[in-house]
Short mmCIF file of all heavy atoms in Angstrom, two decimals:
data_model
loop_
_atom_site.label_atom_id
_atom_site.label_comp_id
_atom_site.label_asym_id
_atom_site.label_seq_id
_atom_site.Cartn_x
_atom_site.Cartn_y
_atom_site.Cartn_z
N MET A 1 108.01 116.03 105.55
CA MET A 1 108.63 114.74 105.31
C MET A 1 107.91 114.07 104.13
O MET A 1 106.69 114.08 104.05
CB MET A 1 108.50 113.89 106.58
CG MET A 1 109.22 112.58 106.48
SD MET A 1 109.44 111.75 108.07
CE MET A 1 110.57 112.85 108.87
N THR A 2 108.70 113.50 103.26
CA THR A 2 108.12 112.86 102.08
C THR A 2 107.58 111.48 102.42
O THR A 2 108.07 110.80 103.33
CB THR A 2 109.17 112.71 100.96
OG1 THR A 2 110.23 111.90 101.45
CG2 THR A 2 109.70 114.05 100.53
N LYS A 3 106.57 111.09 101.69
CA LYS A 3 105.99 109.77 101.88
C LYS A 3 106.90 108.72 101.25
O LYS A 3 107.35 108.90 100.12
CB LYS A 3 104.64 109.67 101.16
CG LYS A 3 103.51 110.41 101.78
CD LYS A 3 102.31 109.98 100.99
CE LYS A 3 101.07 110.65 101.07
NZ LYS A 3 100.00 110.15 100.26
N PRO A 4 107.16 107.64 101.96
CA PRO A 4 107.93 106.56 101.34
C PRO A 4 107.08 105.86 100.28
O PRO A 4 105.85 105.92 100.33
CB PRO A 4 108.24 105.62 102.50
CG PRO A 4 107.44 106.05 103.65
CD PRO A 4 106.87 107.40 103.36
N THR A 5 107.74 105.22 99.35
CA THR A 5 107.05 104.47 98.30
C THR A 5 107.20 102.98 98.57
O THR A 5 108.30 102.49 98.81
CB THR A 5 107.64 104.81 96.91
OG1 THR A 5 107.47 106.21 96.69
CG2 THR A 5 106.95 104.02 95.81
N ILE A 6 106.06 102.27 98.51
CA ILE A 6 106.03 100.83 98.71
C ILE A 6 105.52 100.19 97.44
O ILE A 6 104.43 100.52 96.97
CB ILE A 6 105.09 100.43 99.88
CG1 ILE A 6 105.45 101.17 101.17
CG2 ILE A 6 105.04 98.92 100.05
CD1 ILE A 6 106.74 100.77 101.79
N HIS A 7 106.31 99.28 96.86
CA HIS A 7 105.88 98.52 95.68
C HIS A 7 105.33 97.17 96.15
O HIS A 7 105.90 96.54 97.04
CB HIS A 7 107.06 98.27 94.73
CG HIS A 7 107.49 99.50 94.02
ND1 HIS A 7 107.07 99.79 92.74
CD2 HIS A 7 108.28 100.53 94.40
CE1 HIS A 7 107.60 100.94 92.37
NE2 HIS A 7 108.34 101.41 93.36
N PHE A 8 104.23 96.76 95.55
CA PHE A 8 103.64 95.46 95.88
C PHE A 8 102.97 94.90 94.64
O PHE A 8 102.77 95.61 93.66
CB PHE A 8 102.65 95.58 97.06
CG PHE A 8 101.34 96.24 96.71
CD1 PHE A 8 100.20 95.49 96.57
CD2 PHE A 8 101.26 97.61 96.53
CE1 PHE A 8 98.98 96.09 96.25
CE2 PHE A 8 100.06 98.22 96.21
CZ PHE A 8 98.91 97.46 96.07
N ASN A 9 102.65 93.62 94.67
CA ASN A 9 101.94 92.95 93.58
C ASN A 9 100.61 92.46 94.13
O ASN A 9 100.58 91.51 94.91
CB ASN A 9 102.75 91.78 93.03
CG ASN A 9 104.05 92.23 92.45
OD1 ASN A 9 105.04 92.33 93.16
ND2 ASN A 9 104.06 92.52 91.18
N SER A 10 99.52 93.09 93.71
CA SER A 10 98.22 92.77 94.27
C SER A 10 97.80 91.33 94.01
O SER A 10 97.01 90.77 94.76
CB SER A 10 97.15 93.72 93.74
OG SER A 10 97.07 93.64 92.33
N ARG A 11 98.34 90.72 92.98
CA ARG A 11 97.98 89.33 92.66
C ARG A 11 98.96 88.31 93.23
O ARG A 11 98.82 87.13 93.03
CB ARG A 11 97.90 89.14 91.14
CG ARG A 11 96.75 89.92 90.55
CD ARG A 11 96.65 89.70 89.07
NE ARG A 11 96.49 91.02 88.46
CZ ARG A 11 96.96 91.39 87.31
NH1 ARG A 11 97.66 90.55 86.58
NH2 ARG A 11 96.76 92.60 86.85
N GLY A 12 99.94 88.80 93.97
CA GLY A 12 100.94 87.89 94.53
C GLY A 12 100.98 87.95 96.04
O GLY A 12 100.12 88.56 96.69
N GLU A 13 101.99 87.33 96.59
CA GLU A 13 102.16 87.28 98.04
C GLU A 13 102.23 88.68 98.65
O GLU A 13 101.71 88.92 99.73
CB GLU A 13 103.43 86.49 98.37
CG GLU A 13 103.74 86.40 99.84
CD GLU A 13 105.01 85.62 100.09
OE1 GLU A 13 105.24 84.58 99.46
OE2 GLU A 13 105.80 86.08 100.94
N SER A 14 102.87 89.59 97.95
CA SER A 14 103.03 90.94 98.50
C SER A 14 101.73 91.74 98.45
O SER A 14 101.68 92.87 98.93
CB SER A 14 104.15 91.69 97.77
OG SER A 14 103.83 91.85 96.40
N GLY A 15 100.68 91.17 97.90
CA GLY A 15 99.38 91.83 97.91
C GLY A 15 98.62 91.59 99.20
O GLY A 15 97.59 92.22 99.46
N ASN A 16 99.14 90.71 100.03
CA ASN A 16 98.51 90.43 101.32
C ASN A 16 98.64 91.66 102.21
O ASN A 16 99.71 92.27 102.31
CB ASN A 16 99.23 89.24 101.97
CG ASN A 16 98.67 88.88 103.32
OD1 ASN A 16 98.88 89.61 104.29
ND2 ASN A 16 97.98 87.75 103.37
N ILE A 17 97.54 92.05 102.85
CA ILE A 17 97.54 93.29 103.64
C ILE A 17 98.57 93.26 104.75
O ILE A 17 99.17 94.29 105.07
CB ILE A 17 96.12 93.59 104.18
CG1 ILE A 17 96.00 95.06 104.57
CG2 ILE A 17 95.74 92.67 105.31
CD1 ILE A 17 96.05 96.01 103.43
N PHE A 18 98.86 92.08 105.29
CA PHE A 18 99.86 91.99 106.35
C PHE A 18 101.27 92.14 105.81
O PHE A 18 102.15 92.69 106.49
CB PHE A 18 99.68 90.69 107.15
CG PHE A 18 98.35 90.65 107.85
CD1 PHE A 18 97.34 89.83 107.40
CD2 PHE A 18 98.10 91.47 108.94
CE1 PHE A 18 96.10 89.81 108.03
CE2 PHE A 18 96.88 91.46 109.58
CZ PHE A 18 95.87 90.63 109.12
N TRP A 19 101.50 91.70 104.58
CA TRP A 19 102.80 91.93 103.93
C TRP A 19 102.99 93.43 103.73
O TRP A 19 104.06 93.98 104.01
CB TRP A 19 102.87 91.19 102.59
CG TRP A 19 104.22 91.28 101.96
CD1 TRP A 19 105.20 90.35 102.02
CD2 TRP A 19 104.74 92.36 101.17
NE1 TRP A 19 106.31 90.79 101.32
CE2 TRP A 19 106.06 92.03 100.78
CE3 TRP A 19 104.24 93.59 100.75
CZ2 TRP A 19 106.86 92.87 100.02
CZ3 TRP A 19 105.04 94.44 99.98
CH2 TRP A 19 106.33 94.06 99.62
N ILE A 20 101.93 94.09 103.25
CA ILE A 20 102.01 95.53 103.01
C ILE A 20 102.25 96.27 104.32
O ILE A 20 103.08 97.17 104.39
CB ILE A 20 100.72 96.03 102.31
CG1 ILE A 20 100.62 95.41 100.90
CG2 ILE A 20 100.70 97.56 102.23
CD1 ILE A 20 99.28 95.63 100.23
N LEU A 21 101.52 95.89 105.38
CA LEU A 21 101.73 96.53 106.68
C LEU A 21 103.17 96.36 107.17
O LEU A 21 103.75 97.29 107.75
CB LEU A 21 100.77 95.96 107.72
CG LEU A 21 99.38 96.55 107.77
CD1 LEU A 21 98.51 95.80 108.77
CD2 LEU A 21 99.40 98.02 108.09
N GLY A 22 103.76 95.19 106.93
CA GLY A 22 105.15 94.98 107.32
C GLY A 22 106.09 95.90 106.58
O GLY A 22 107.02 96.47 107.17
N ALA A 23 105.85 96.08 105.28
CA ALA A 23 106.69 96.98 104.48
C ALA A 23 106.51 98.43 104.93
O ALA A 23 107.47 99.20 105.00
CB ALA A 23 106.37 96.82 103.00
N VAL A 24 105.27 98.79 105.24
CA VAL A 24 104.99 100.15 105.72
C VAL A 24 105.66 100.38 107.07
O VAL A 24 106.24 101.44 107.32
CB VAL A 24 103.46 100.39 105.80
CG1 VAL A 24 103.15 101.70 106.50
CG2 VAL A 24 102.84 100.37 104.42
N LYS A 25 105.60 99.38 107.94
CA LYS A 25 106.24 99.50 109.26
C LYS A 25 107.72 99.77 109.11
O LYS A 25 108.27 100.68 109.75
CB LYS A 25 106.02 98.22 110.06
CG LYS A 25 106.66 98.26 111.43
CD LYS A 25 106.41 96.97 112.19
CE LYS A 25 107.03 97.03 113.57
NZ LYS A 25 106.79 95.81 114.33
N THR A 26 108.37 99.01 108.25
CA THR A 26 109.81 99.21 108.02
C THR A 26 110.09 100.62 107.51
O THR A 26 110.99 101.30 108.01
CB THR A 26 110.33 98.16 107.02
OG1 THR A 26 110.12 96.85 107.57
CG2 THR A 26 111.80 98.36 106.72
N ALA A 27 109.32 101.06 106.53
CA ALA A 27 109.55 102.38 105.93
C ALA A 27 109.30 103.51 106.93
O ALA A 27 110.10 104.46 107.02
CB ALA A 27 108.65 102.55 104.71
N LEU A 28 108.21 103.42 107.69
CA LEU A 28 107.91 104.49 108.64
C LEU A 28 108.87 104.48 109.83
O LEU A 28 109.23 105.54 110.34
CB LEU A 28 106.46 104.39 109.11
CG LEU A 28 105.40 104.70 108.05
CD1 LEU A 28 104.00 104.62 108.65
CD2 LEU A 28 105.62 106.06 107.39
N HIS A 29 109.31 103.31 110.25
CA HIS A 29 110.28 103.26 111.34
C HIS A 29 111.61 103.87 110.92
O HIS A 29 112.26 104.51 111.74
CB HIS A 29 110.47 101.82 111.82
CG HIS A 29 109.41 101.39 112.77
ND1 HIS A 29 109.67 100.58 113.85
CD2 HIS A 29 108.07 101.64 112.84
CE1 HIS A 29 108.56 100.36 114.53
NE2 HIS A 29 107.57 100.99 113.92
N LYS A 30 111.99 103.71 109.65
CA LYS A 30 113.23 104.33 109.15
C LYS A 30 113.14 105.85 109.25
O LYS A 30 114.14 106.53 109.42
CB LYS A 30 113.51 103.92 107.71
CG LYS A 30 114.07 102.53 107.59
CD LYS A 30 114.37 102.18 106.15
CE LYS A 30 114.87 100.75 106.04
NZ LYS A 30 115.10 100.37 104.64
N GLN A 31 111.90 106.37 109.11
CA GLN A 31 111.69 107.82 109.21
C GLN A 31 111.35 108.24 110.65
O GLN A 31 110.99 109.38 110.90
CB GLN A 31 110.56 108.26 108.28
CG GLN A 31 110.88 108.13 106.83
CD GLN A 31 109.75 108.65 105.94
OE1 GLN A 31 108.61 108.82 106.36
NE2 GLN A 31 110.09 108.93 104.69
N ARG A 32 111.45 107.31 111.56
CA ARG A 32 111.15 107.54 112.98
C ARG A 32 109.71 108.01 113.19
O ARG A 32 109.43 108.85 114.03
CB ARG A 32 112.14 108.52 113.60
CG ARG A 32 113.55 108.00 113.56
CD ARG A 32 114.53 108.99 114.11
NE ARG A 32 115.88 108.49 113.90
CZ ARG A 32 116.67 108.12 114.88
NH1 ARG A 32 116.27 108.19 116.12
NH2 ARG A 32 117.88 107.69 114.62
N ARG A 33 108.81 107.42 112.42
CA ARG A 33 107.37 107.76 112.49
C ARG A 33 106.61 106.58 113.12
O ARG A 33 105.65 106.09 112.58
CB ARG A 33 106.86 108.06 111.09
CG ARG A 33 107.50 109.29 110.48
CD ARG A 33 107.12 109.51 109.03
NE ARG A 33 105.67 109.65 108.91
CZ ARG A 33 105.03 109.57 107.74
NH1 ARG A 33 105.71 109.38 106.63
NH2 ARG A 33 103.73 109.69 107.70
N ILE A 34 107.05 106.18 114.29
CA ILE A 34 106.49 105.01 114.95
C ILE A 34 105.04 105.25 115.37
O ILE A 34 104.18 104.39 115.20
CB ILE A 34 107.38 104.60 116.15
CG1 ILE A 34 108.75 104.17 115.61
CG2 ILE A 34 106.73 103.51 116.97
CD1 ILE A 34 109.83 104.08 116.64
N THR A 35 104.75 106.44 115.89
CA THR A 35 103.37 106.75 116.28
C THR A 35 102.46 106.75 115.07
O THR A 35 101.32 106.25 115.14
CB THR A 35 103.32 108.12 117.00
OG1 THR A 35 104.16 108.06 118.16
CG2 THR A 35 101.90 108.45 117.43
N ASP A 36 102.93 107.29 113.94
CA ASP A 36 102.13 107.25 112.71
C ASP A 36 101.82 105.82 112.32
O ASP A 36 100.69 105.49 111.95
CB ASP A 36 102.87 107.94 111.55
CG ASP A 36 102.80 109.44 111.62
OD1 ASP A 36 101.96 109.98 112.38
OD2 ASP A 36 103.58 110.09 110.90
N TYR A 37 102.83 104.93 112.41
CA TYR A 37 102.59 103.54 112.06
C TYR A 37 101.57 102.90 113.00
O TYR A 37 100.67 102.18 112.55
CB TYR A 37 103.88 102.70 112.06
CG TYR A 37 103.53 101.25 111.89
CD1 TYR A 37 103.14 100.76 110.65
CD2 TYR A 37 103.48 100.38 112.98
CE1 TYR A 37 102.74 99.45 110.49
CE2 TYR A 37 103.09 99.07 112.83
CZ TYR A 37 102.72 98.61 111.58
OH TYR A 37 102.29 97.32 111.43
N ASN A 38 101.69 103.16 114.28
CA ASN A 38 100.76 102.56 115.24
C ASN A 38 99.32 103.01 114.97
O ASN A 38 98.39 102.21 115.03
CB ASN A 38 101.17 102.89 116.67
CG ASN A 38 102.45 102.19 117.09
OD1 ASN A 38 102.81 101.16 116.53
ND2 ASN A 38 103.14 102.75 118.07
N ASN A 39 99.15 104.30 114.65
CA ASN A 39 97.81 104.81 114.32
C ASN A 39 97.29 104.16 113.04
O ASN A 39 96.13 103.76 112.96
CB ASN A 39 97.84 106.33 114.18
CG ASN A 39 98.10 107.03 115.49
OD1 ASN A 39 97.82 106.50 116.56
ND2 ASN A 39 98.65 108.23 115.41
N LEU A 40 98.15 104.07 112.03
CA LEU A 40 97.78 103.45 110.76
C LEU A 40 97.37 102.00 110.98
O LEU A 40 96.33 101.56 110.50
CB LEU A 40 98.96 103.53 109.79
CG LEU A 40 98.88 102.75 108.51
CD1 LEU A 40 99.54 103.52 107.39
CD2 LEU A 40 99.49 101.38 108.62
N ARG A 41 98.17 101.25 111.72
CA ARG A 41 97.88 99.84 111.98
C ARG A 41 96.53 99.66 112.66
O ARG A 41 95.74 98.81 112.26
CB ARG A 41 98.98 99.24 112.86
CG ARG A 41 98.79 97.75 113.16
CD ARG A 41 99.56 97.30 114.37
NE ARG A 41 99.14 98.06 115.53
CZ ARG A 41 99.97 98.60 116.42
NH1 ARG A 41 101.27 98.44 116.30
NH2 ARG A 41 99.51 99.29 117.44
N ASP A 42 96.25 100.50 113.65
CA ASP A 42 94.97 100.40 114.35
C ASP A 42 93.80 100.69 113.41
O ASP A 42 92.78 100.00 113.45
CB ASP A 42 94.94 101.36 115.54
CG ASP A 42 95.91 100.97 116.64
OD1 ASP A 42 96.40 99.82 116.63
OD2 ASP A 42 96.18 101.83 117.51
N ARG A 43 93.95 101.69 112.56
CA ARG A 43 92.89 102.03 111.61
C ARG A 43 92.70 100.93 110.57
O ARG A 43 91.58 100.60 110.21
CB ARG A 43 93.20 103.35 110.93
CG ARG A 43 93.08 104.54 111.87
CD ARG A 43 93.46 105.84 111.19
NE ARG A 43 92.58 106.09 110.05
CZ ARG A 43 92.95 106.82 109.00
NH1 ARG A 43 94.15 107.38 108.94
NH2 ARG A 43 92.11 107.01 108.01
N VAL A 44 93.80 100.36 110.08
CA VAL A 44 93.73 99.31 109.07
C VAL A 44 93.07 98.06 109.64
O VAL A 44 92.21 97.46 109.00
CB VAL A 44 95.13 98.98 108.49
CG1 VAL A 44 95.14 97.68 107.73
CG2 VAL A 44 95.60 100.13 107.60
N THR A 45 93.44 97.67 110.85
CA THR A 45 92.87 96.46 111.42
C THR A 45 91.38 96.64 111.75
O THR A 45 90.65 95.66 111.81
CB THR A 45 93.64 95.98 112.67
OG1 THR A 45 93.69 97.04 113.62
CG2 THR A 45 95.04 95.54 112.29
N ALA A 46 90.94 97.88 111.91
CA ALA A 46 89.53 98.14 112.17
C ALA A 46 88.73 98.38 110.89
O ALA A 46 87.51 98.48 110.94
CB ALA A 46 89.38 99.35 113.09
N SER A 47 89.42 98.43 109.75
CA SER A 47 88.73 98.72 108.49
C SER A 47 87.87 97.54 108.07
O SER A 47 88.07 96.41 108.50
CB SER A 47 89.74 99.06 107.39
OG SER A 47 90.51 97.95 107.05
N GLY A 48 86.92 97.83 107.19
CA GLY A 48 85.96 96.80 106.80
C GLY A 48 86.28 96.07 105.51
O GLY A 48 85.61 95.10 105.17
N SER A 49 87.30 96.53 104.78
CA SER A 49 87.60 95.88 103.51
C SER A 49 89.06 96.12 103.13
O SER A 49 89.74 97.01 103.66
CB SER A 49 86.70 96.42 102.40
OG SER A 49 87.06 97.76 102.07
N TYR A 50 89.51 95.31 102.17
CA TYR A 50 90.87 95.44 101.65
C TYR A 50 91.07 96.82 101.02
O TYR A 50 92.07 97.48 101.29
CB TYR A 50 91.09 94.33 100.61
CG TYR A 50 92.46 94.30 99.98
CD1 TYR A 50 93.55 93.77 100.66
CD2 TYR A 50 92.66 94.76 98.68
CE1 TYR A 50 94.80 93.70 100.08
CE2 TYR A 50 93.91 94.70 98.08
CZ TYR A 50 94.98 94.17 98.78
OH TYR A 50 96.22 94.12 98.21
N ASN A 51 90.10 97.26 100.22
CA ASN A 51 90.23 98.56 99.56
C ASN A 51 90.23 99.71 100.56
O ASN A 51 90.97 100.69 100.38
CB ASN A 51 89.12 98.75 98.53
CG ASN A 51 89.35 97.89 97.31
OD1 ASN A 51 90.48 97.58 96.97
ND2 ASN A 51 88.28 97.48 96.66
N GLU A 52 89.44 99.60 101.61
CA GLU A 52 89.45 100.63 102.64
C GLU A 52 90.81 100.65 103.34
O GLU A 52 91.36 101.72 103.62
CB GLU A 52 88.34 100.37 103.66
CG GLU A 52 88.25 101.40 104.76
CD GLU A 52 87.18 101.10 105.79
OE1 GLU A 52 86.38 100.15 105.61
OE2 GLU A 52 87.14 101.83 106.80
N ALA A 53 91.36 99.47 103.62
CA ALA A 53 92.67 99.38 104.26
C ALA A 53 93.75 100.03 103.37
O ALA A 53 94.58 100.79 103.86
CB ALA A 53 93.02 97.93 104.54
N LEU A 54 93.71 99.75 102.07
CA LEU A 54 94.69 100.36 101.16
C LEU A 54 94.54 101.88 101.13
O LEU A 54 95.53 102.61 101.07
CB LEU A 54 94.53 99.79 99.75
CG LEU A 54 94.96 98.34 99.56
CD1 LEU A 54 94.77 97.94 98.09
CD2 LEU A 54 96.39 98.10 100.00
N SER A 55 93.31 102.35 101.18
CA SER A 55 93.07 103.79 101.18
C SER A 55 93.68 104.44 102.42
O SER A 55 94.29 105.52 102.33
CB SER A 55 91.55 104.04 101.14
OG SER A 55 91.28 105.40 101.20
N ILE A 56 93.55 103.81 103.55
CA ILE A 56 94.14 104.33 104.79
C ILE A 56 95.66 104.33 104.68
O ILE A 56 96.32 105.33 105.02
CB ILE A 56 93.69 103.48 106.00
CG1 ILE A 56 92.19 103.67 106.23
CG2 ILE A 56 94.50 103.83 107.25
CD1 ILE A 56 91.56 102.64 107.16
N ILE A 57 96.23 103.24 104.18
CA ILE A 57 97.69 103.14 104.03
C ILE A 57 98.21 104.23 103.10
O ILE A 57 99.25 104.83 103.34
CB ILE A 57 98.08 101.74 103.55
CG1 ILE A 57 97.79 100.71 104.65
CG2 ILE A 57 99.55 101.69 103.14
CD1 ILE A 57 97.89 99.27 104.21
N ARG A 58 97.45 104.53 102.05
CA ARG A 58 97.89 105.55 101.09
C ARG A 58 97.94 106.96 101.68
O ARG A 58 98.54 107.85 101.10
CB ARG A 58 96.98 105.53 99.86
CG ARG A 58 97.27 104.37 98.95
CD ARG A 58 96.49 104.46 97.64
NE ARG A 58 96.95 103.45 96.72
CZ ARG A 58 96.28 102.33 96.45
NH1 ARG A 58 95.10 102.10 97.02
NH2 ARG A 58 96.78 101.45 95.61
N GLU A 59 97.34 107.17 102.83
CA GLU A 59 97.45 108.46 103.52
C GLU A 59 98.87 108.66 104.05
O GLU A 59 99.31 109.78 104.25
CB GLU A 59 96.47 108.54 104.69
CG GLU A 59 95.02 108.54 104.27
CD GLU A 59 94.07 108.51 105.46
OE1 GLU A 59 94.50 108.85 106.59
OE2 GLU A 59 92.90 108.13 105.26
N TYR A 60 99.59 107.56 104.28
CA TYR A 60 100.91 107.62 104.90
C TYR A 60 102.05 107.31 103.94
O TYR A 60 103.17 107.77 104.15
CB TYR A 60 100.97 106.63 106.07
CG TYR A 60 100.01 106.95 107.19
CD1 TYR A 60 98.68 106.53 107.13
CD2 TYR A 60 100.43 107.67 108.30
CE1 TYR A 60 97.80 106.82 108.16
CE2 TYR A 60 99.55 107.96 109.33
CZ TYR A 60 98.23 107.54 109.26
OH TYR A 60 97.37 107.83 110.27
N VAL A 61 101.79 106.48 102.94
CA VAL A 61 102.83 106.09 101.98
C VAL A 61 102.25 106.08 100.57
O VAL A 61 101.03 106.03 100.40
CB VAL A 61 103.42 104.69 102.29
CG1 VAL A 61 104.03 104.63 103.67
CG2 VAL A 61 102.39 103.60 102.11
N ASP A 62 103.12 106.13 99.59
CA ASP A 62 102.70 105.96 98.20
C ASP A 62 102.78 104.47 97.88
O ASP A 62 103.86 103.88 97.97
CB ASP A 62 103.61 106.75 97.25
CG ASP A 62 103.42 108.25 97.39
OD1 ASP A 62 102.28 108.69 97.63
OD2 ASP A 62 104.43 108.98 97.30
N LEU A 63 101.65 103.88 97.55
CA LEU A 63 101.60 102.46 97.18
C LEU A 63 101.61 102.34 95.67
O LEU A 63 100.83 103.01 94.99
CB LEU A 63 100.33 101.80 97.72
CG LEU A 63 100.28 101.49 99.20
CD1 LEU A 63 98.93 100.87 99.56
CD2 LEU A 63 101.39 100.54 99.60
N VAL A 64 102.46 101.48 95.16
CA VAL A 64 102.54 101.24 93.72
C VAL A 64 102.28 99.76 93.49
O VAL A 64 103.04 98.90 93.94
CB VAL A 64 103.92 101.62 93.15
CG1 VAL A 64 104.00 101.31 91.67
CG2 VAL A 64 104.24 103.08 93.43
N ASP A 65 101.17 99.47 92.82
CA ASP A 65 100.81 98.09 92.49
C ASP A 65 101.48 97.74 91.17
O ASP A 65 101.05 98.18 90.11
CB ASP A 65 99.30 97.94 92.40
CG ASP A 65 98.85 96.52 92.11
OD1 ASP A 65 99.72 95.64 91.93
OD2 ASP A 65 97.64 96.29 92.06
N ASP A 66 102.55 96.96 91.25
CA ASP A 66 103.28 96.58 90.04
C ASP A 66 102.47 95.69 89.11
O ASP A 66 102.75 95.62 87.92
CB ASP A 66 104.61 95.92 90.41
CG ASP A 66 105.57 96.88 91.08
OD1 ASP A 66 105.49 98.10 90.82
OD2 ASP A 66 106.43 96.43 91.87
N ASP A 67 101.45 95.01 89.61
CA ASP A 67 100.58 94.19 88.75
C ASP A 67 99.71 95.06 87.86
O ASP A 67 99.32 94.63 86.78
CB ASP A 67 99.69 93.28 89.59
CG ASP A 67 100.44 92.05 90.10
OD1 ASP A 67 101.44 91.68 89.47
OD2 ASP A 67 100.00 91.48 91.11
N SER A 68 99.37 96.24 88.29
CA SER A 68 98.49 97.08 87.48
C SER A 68 99.23 97.70 86.30
O SER A 68 98.63 98.21 85.38
CB SER A 68 97.86 98.20 88.32
OG SER A 68 98.84 99.13 88.72
N GLU A 69 100.56 97.63 86.32
CA GLU A 69 101.37 98.20 85.25
C GLU A 69 101.72 97.19 84.17
O GLU A 69 102.33 97.50 83.18
CB GLU A 69 102.65 98.81 85.83
CG GLU A 69 102.35 99.95 86.79
CD GLU A 69 103.59 100.46 87.47
OE1 GLU A 69 104.71 99.99 87.17
OE2 GLU A 69 103.47 101.36 88.31
N VAL A 70 101.34 95.95 84.39
CA VAL A 70 101.68 94.88 83.43
C VAL A 70 100.73 94.90 82.26
O VAL A 70 99.60 95.19 82.32
CB VAL A 70 101.65 93.49 84.14
CG1 VAL A 70 101.87 92.38 83.15
CG2 VAL A 70 102.69 93.46 85.22
#
C-alpha cells in the first residue's frame, strides 16, 4: 500500500501537530488503516519534541512542508 501524501505549512495553522494528526487520520482511515493510525497517534503523543513527532508521522505518510518550498 502506498503512503498517502499530506501537505502542510510549518509556519501556519496547518503546522500544528494536531492539525497534521487530523489530516493523517483522515488519510489512513480512507485506506482502512485504523490500527496504524492508533499506533501512530500513541507514539506521537508520547514523543518528546515536534521534530520527533514529525519523524514518526513520516513512517506512515509522506509529509510535504509547503513553506520549505517558498
Side-chain angles (χ1 to χ4, degrees):
M1 186 165 293
T2 60
K3 287 188 193 180
T5 300
I6 305 291
H7 288 263
F8 73 105
N9 298 88
S10 60
R11 293 182 227 146
E13 179 181 317
S14 63
N16 179 288
I17 199 68
F18 297 107
W19 186 97
I20 295 169
L21 276 175
V24 171
K25 179 180 181 179
T26 299
L28 292 182
H29 278 217
K30 283 182 183 177
Q31 292 183 342
R32 298 177 186 247
R33 296 173 59 194
I34 295 165
T35 301
D36 282 345
Y37 172 75
N38 291 337
N39 293 335
L40 170 144
R41 182 200 59 225
D42 293 345
R43 290 177 60 207
V44 165
T45 55
S47 67
S49 71
Y50 181 78
N51 287 331
E52 181 182 353
L54 290 181
S55 178
I56 293 166
I57 292 169
R58 284 188 172 104
E59 294 175 19
Y60 297 84
V61 301
D62 291 324
L63 285 178
V64 178
D65 182 358
D66 293 333
D67 281 336
S68 69
E69 297 174 3
V70 175

